[in-house]
């Protein structure tokens, strides 16, 4: 099980605004900012997003390798996938695939996929047998 993920973004303010909008339908919010000076030398400043008392998705300004990462976010229903996809598109995401069953995985795997402003692949996923 993962505890957290960091991704580097080219424009921290733009990315915070994007993720605040795109993740809101999933109940994920901008929850915590970490001042890197509190950590060991060279630790980056971090902008954390989370839900249910956990912060698990972090942004840091730095070199972008957008095509190098794919992040899947849990949705609690198909309508939640649809809402997250719509919110991400309204916040300037690029569509990879619209909401729908991902039959190549399982007929019950419902998801949508977008690229964020730095090119990271984001997936909003509802798996009825897991979630």
């Amino acid at each position: 099980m993962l505890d957290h993920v960091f991704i580097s973004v080219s424009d921290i303010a733009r990315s915070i605004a994007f993720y605040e909008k795109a993740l809101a339908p999933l109940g994920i919010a901008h929850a915590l900012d970490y001042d890197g000076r509190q950590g060991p030398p060279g630790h980056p400043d971090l902008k954390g997003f989370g839900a249910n008392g956990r912060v698990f998705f972090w942004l840091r300004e730095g070199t972008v390798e957008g095509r190098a990462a794919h992040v899947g976010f849990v949705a609690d229903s198909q309508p939640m996938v649809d809402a997250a996809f719509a919110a991400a598109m309204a916040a300037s995401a690029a569509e990879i695939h619209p909401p729908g069953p991902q039959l190549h995985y399982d007929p019950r795997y419902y998801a949508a996929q977008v690229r964020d402003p730095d090119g990271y692949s984001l997936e909003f996923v509802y798996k009825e047998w897991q979630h």
Side-chain angles (χ1 to χ4, degrees):
M1 179 181 292
L2 295 176
D3 181 70
H4 61 274
V5 174
F6 291 5
I7 63 170
S8 296
V9 298
S10 61
D11 180 332
I12 196 75
R14 177 186 71 183
S15 291
I16 290 168
F18 172 81
Y19 282 101
E20 285 175 342
K21 293 174 186 163
L23 299 180
L26 303 176
I28 299 171
H30 181 190
L32 181 68
D33 292 342
Y34 177 79
D35 183 340
R37 294 176 297 187
Q38 296 172 354
H43 196 293
D45 291 341
L46 300 170
K47 307 301 181 183
F49 288 76
N52 303 317
R54 291 190 59 239
V55 181
F56 49 84
F57 181 69
W58 297 88
L59 305 176
R60 63 180 174 199
E61 199 151 34
T63 302
V64 171
E65 298 174 16
R67 303 260 176 193
H70 171 84
V71 181
F73 292 95
V74 173
D76 291 332
S77 65
Q78 290 182 7
M80 193 178 277
V81 169
D82 299 345
F85 176 78
M89 293 301 292
S92 77
E95 180 181 307
I96 297 174
H97 68 72
Q102 304 304 298
L103 300 176
H104 50 282
Y105 295 132
D106 185 284
R108 302 166 297 164
Y109 188 122
Y110 189 88
Q113 196 171 345
V114 300
R115 288 206 186 280
D116 83 349
D118 284 307
Y120 291 105
S121 169
L122 309 176
E123 188 171 14
F124 311 116
V125 182
Y126 174 63
K127 299 175 185 174
E128 67 180 53
W129 72 95
Q130 288 183 341
H131 305 149

